[in-house]
Amino acid sequence: MGRLLVIAASMSAMITLVSAMALRAADATLAVVAVAALVVLLTWYAQLHATEEHSSVGLANPAAAVTLAVVGRRPWATLLPAVVAHAVGGVLGGLLALVLEDRLGDTLVFTDPSLVLTAVGAALVGLVGAWTTLSIDGGGSEALSAVPVLVGGAVLPLGLLAVFQPAVVIGLATAGLVPWDVALVAAGTVLGASAVGAYTVSVLVPAE
């Protein structure tokens, strides 16, 4: 269990740092594609730790861990440690980005969203993420993990390109790239929407 928590924290730290660097990319499309590509790679790696009884997609995203717990694909007892590990990784990645800020250069121009827009967009991304997580767990391609990244990049301002991953949003707030109130609303909404999305799937598509 301890090794998996370290992996989860490391993944969140990596996505946070790459997201912070991507916000300095040449254009917004390149930033979103870079983060999406990393997420696909890390999801593939996370799946290497899966068993028949338990999915491991949650190693790459605490929102996915919530989704899997709701449908019984991971024990509830492991959820809080996993979320905490992701949060620690996100903060560490944000602190590293903060240290490197002078060397990374200026960010792309993006506006801070209102809390209402943040909540609506994060809810949509959380629902899409839940369906994506269950699709991957059901045997779908790890490439599907890019879908929530692309949706978030399309419906929310660029500063929230990492809204699909709550720990990374907290990390970006730590790095000073996202306001704390926006980050907390986004992270909480995605986690809640992930649970709702998982429950919806379990009702509409009951396990055989």
Side-chain angles (χ1 to χ4, degrees):
M1 180 64 180
R3 183 173 66 89
L4 295 180
L5 293 179
V6 171
I7 292 174
S10 300
M11 287 190 176
S12 284
M14 187 181 303
I15 298 173
T16 300
L17 182 58
V18 170
S19 296
M21 297 175 72
L23 289 174
R24 278 100 170 168
D27 61 69
T29 300
L30 186 59
V32 175
V33 169
V35 174
L38 176 63
V39 169
V40 171
L41 176 63
L42 294 184
T43 301
W44 168 80
Y45 177 76
Q47 279 291 78
L48 297 180
H49 300 275
T51 65
E52 290 187 5
E53 294 79 19
H54 302 302
S55 175
S56 58
V57 183
L59 288 176
N61 191 335
V66 170
T67 297
L68 295 168
V70 169
V71 298
R73 286 288 289 154
R74 70 171 295 141
W76 279 102
T78 66
L79 182 58
L80 181 58
V83 171
V84 171
H86 278 293
V88 170
V91 170
L92 290 176
L95 290 174
L96 181 56
L98 193 59
V99 170
L100 297 174
E101 182 177 13
D102 292 338
R103 296 178 175 84
L104 293 178
D106 296 331
T107 60
L108 292 167
V109 176
F110 52 86
T111 58
D112 295 329
S114 68
L115 296 183
V116 173
L117 174 60
T118 297
V120 172
L124 177 60
V125 172
L127 291 171
V128 171
W131 284 71
T132 300
T133 296
L134 296 176
S135 296
I136 296 172
D137 183 50
S141 170
E142 288 82 5
L144 290 171
S145 61
V147 173
V149 186
L150 300 177
V151 172
V155 304
L156 285 167
L158 185 60
L160 284 174
L161 85 157
V163 70
F164 66 94
Q165 220 281 25
V168 174
V169 178
I170 298 302
L172 293 180
T174 303
L177 296 172
V178 177
W180 273 104
D181 57 346
V182 170
L184 292 175
V185 168
T189 302
V190 168
L191 291 174
S194 298
V196 172
Y199 178 75
T200 302
V201 172
S202 67
V203 171
L204 296 178
V205 189
E208 297 181 357

